[in-house]
Amino acid sequence: MNYTYKHIWLIAFPVMMSILIEQLINITDALFLGHVGDVELGASALAGIWYLAIYMLGFGFSLGLQVVIARRNGEQRYEETGKTFFQGLFFLLMLAAFLCLLSQILSPVLLKHLITSDDVYNATVCYLNWRIWGLLFSFPLLALRSFLVGITQTKALNMAAFTAVLVNIPMNWLLIFGFDMGISGAAISSSFAEMCSLVVLTIYLFRHIDEKVYGLRWHIEIKILKEIFSISVWSMLQFFVSVAIWFLFFLAIEHLGETELAVSNIVRSVSALFSVIVNALAGVTSSLVSNLIGAGEKGKIFPLCHKIIRLGYVAGIPLIVLALVFHQHIIGAYTENPVIVQVAWLPFMVMLLNYFLALPGYVYLNAATGTGATRTVFVFQLTTTIVYLFCLWGLSHRNVPLAAYWAVEYLFVLGLGVQSVIYLKYKHY
């Protein structure tokens, strides 16, 4: 297997579009809610990250599912890819139903003890009451994406992404302003957009993928499910922890004040566009590495990672330059408050420059995931998280600007990257 830049990009671009589904939904929510009020803008950040932490349990499982499917694909055991997909789909459907019910019971209780502002708390719970049901659509969507990425047939992900965006934008406007539903309208719109995206991918699967070749028959095999879960459980914990960190970060910011919380939501919202590139290329890395190992070509892992990192810089640097030049217009799109626009500039710049470390950090981390060492990757995540939280704790006891909190992210991605490179160089897998 000799993956060229063109081949990598053709696989990665549709994945970027599919990841853009979740990110653009959050960005659109923030853009609209910023014109409703600062409380709603800040609350959508906390609610969105709380939802994302729960969502990442499914995403982590789907990453392990993708690794197993890609390994079978690399071994040319195509019928096993379909069998593996259905085990993952079954588990994700059950997990989605369980998490929806659990969140409805526990989220209001837990958030009451974490959020200091009553207004922010009420708006956060109001958003989550509707948004959480989107798991019933987003988790099956993750299973479909894992299958298509694993067999390297990702073109349909473009259609699903554009469908979600085209549905979410007018629905947001209609429900938030037309029906005066405020933050609840944003949540309903987001879940409905995910449902439409799921319908598109499902239709594509049944119309364009050969069910006989890929063994697309509904059949539960506990043995296969156990194999997937043994790999996925560490990815589930890893990604849950990664987003839980964000939630703790925003809780620390919430204690600084509603203005700082609103600023951080804007910065996080814009950073989501850059994380689309990083996460897509990193996710493709794990799949391609798994395919290489399945084909017995371990020696090509580092050259593959280097190509992916170069592609990421080519795609991301022009966007960073544009964001720096037009920062006032970008921040101003979220709010008409001049204080927020002024305070946001320095954290905004710190966030943008983090891309240069985050890209190689997450590419190497996902290369390690692609070897099947999900437990080791979780340990990397955990040790780096401890250092990160210690730094946040130290900053919270000092009078430092908001940008200093965002700069700690540099240390986080650097720690992940260094540990992953050491593992890839010296560990036998």
Side-chain angles (χ1 to χ4, degrees), residues 274 277 310-323 355-356:
F274 296 92
I277 302 173
R310 291 186 198 109
L311 271 177
Y313 284 143
V314 169
I317 289 175
L319 295 177
I320 292 172
V321 173
L322 288 173
Y355 182 87
F356 293 96

Side-chain angles (χ1 to χ4, degrees), residues 217-288:
R217 293 181 298 276
W218 185 268
H219 180 63
I220 304 301
E221 289 191 27
I222 300 301
K223 183 180 178 181
I224 298 177
L225 184 55
K226 285 181 177 178
E227 179 188 358
I228 301 168
F229 191 78
S230 66
I231 295 175
S232 299
V233 64
W234 300 107
S235 296
M236 294 169 72
L237 292 172
Q238 174 202 341
F239 283 99
F240 177 79
V241 168
S242 69
V243 179
I245 293 168
W246 270 110
F247 187 76
L248 293 173
F249 173 85
F250 271 86
L251 279 180
I253 301 302
E254 194 261 342
H255 286 77
L256 296 179
E258 292 179 358
T259 297
E260 287 78 5
L261 181 61
V263 166
S264 291
N265 191 21
I266 293 171
V267 175
R268 184 192 70 87
S269 181
V270 177
S271 75
L273 290 174
F274 296 92
S275 71
V276 166
I277 302 173
V278 173
N279 290 334
L281 290 173
V284 166
T285 301
S286 66
S287 181
L288 297 184

Side-chain angles (χ1 to χ4, degrees), residues 52-69:
L52 195 60
I54 299 171
Y55 169 85
M56 280 300 174
L57 290 171
F59 183 83
F61 181 85
S62 74
L63 187 62
L65 175 64
Q66 178 183 308
V67 167
V68 177
I69 291 173

Side-chain angles (χ1 to χ4, degrees), residues 397-416:
H397 288 77
R398 288 169 175 78
N399 186 22
V400 297
L402 181 59
Y405 285 83
W406 282 90
V408 181
E409 184 74 10
Y410 292 14
L411 180 64
F412 183 76
V413 294
L414 188 62
L416 292 178

Side-chain angles (χ1 to χ4, degrees), residues 68-135:
V68 177
I69 291 173
R71 186 71 57 86
R72 300 292 177 266
N73 192 65
E75 294 166 348
Q76 299 183 0
R77 296 164 60 188
Y78 301 120
E79 189 172 344
E80 295 296 318
T81 62
K83 287 182 180 179
T84 305
F85 159 69
F86 275 115
Q87 313 316 307
L89 178 61
F90 170 75
F91 180 83
L92 285 169
L93 284 170
M94 296 300 101
L95 183 63
F98 172 74
L99 291 175
C100 284
L101 296 174
L102 190 65
S103 176
Q104 288 291 94
I105 297 169
L106 294 182
S107 291
V109 178
L110 294 174
L111 290 170
K112 186 67 176 177
H113 295 287
L114 295 172
I115 299 174
T116 56
S117 168
D118 288 338
D119 290 336
V120 172
Y121 166 76
N122 291 329
T124 301
V125 171
C126 191
Y127 183 91
L128 277 173
N129 283 340
W130 290 102
R131 185 70 182 98
I132 198 67
W133 299 106
L135 294 178

